[in-house]
Amino acid sequence: MPNKNLVIGAIVSHDLNEIRPFVESLRQSSFEGDIVLFVSRLAPTTIDYLRYNHCILLDYPFDETHKLISVNSYRFILFRRFLERNKKVYKHVML
C-alpha cells in the first residue's frame, strides 16, 4: 500500500530567485514527502540548490522538438508517465 506523499512539478528556464520561495515554503511546512521536478535549462547553481533541498530532479530536454505543445501542457503527460511508473509508491499527490 502506498504511503508517501508527493509534490510534482516542472521548471524550464527559471531563475533561482523565482524557485526559492516555493521550495523554502514547502520545506518549512509540515510536508515530509518527495518533491519531484522535471527540469530543463536551469543554471548549475539552481540545480545545486534544488538538490541541496532534497528535490528529485528529472531531466526534461524541452527544446525545438516541443514546438507543437507548451511545457504547461506537456508537463501533465510527464506527470502521468511518472505516476504510472510509481503508482505503488505515493499515496497523495499535489500537482
Side-chain angles (χ1 to χ4, degrees), residues 13-16 19-20 39-53 57:
S13 300
H14 283 284
D15 180 271
L16 177 57
I19 299 167
R20 188 181 319 225
V39 298
S40 181
R41 298 185 295 203
L42 297 182
T45 54
T46 302
I47 291 171
D48 291 344
Y49 170 82
L50 292 169
R51 286 186 177 140
Y52 177 80
N53 281 280
L57 305 182

Side-chain angles (χ1 to χ4, degrees), residues 6-57:
L6 170 69
V7 171
I8 189 168
I11 304 171
V12 178
S13 300
H14 283 284
D15 180 271
L16 177 57
N17 291 327
E18 297 171 302
I19 299 167
R20 188 181 319 225
F22 169 75
V23 174
E24 289 182 5
S25 66
L26 193 54
R27 287 298 179 211
Q28 291 172 5
S29 74
S30 60
F31 180 75
E32 294 181 1
D34 290 342
I35 300 173
V36 171
L37 299 170
F38 288 88
V39 298
S40 181
R41 298 185 295 203
L42 297 182
T45 54
T46 302
I47 291 171
D48 291 344
Y49 170 82
L50 292 169
R51 286 186 177 140
Y52 177 80
N53 281 280
H54 308 288
C55 296
I56 299 166
L57 305 182

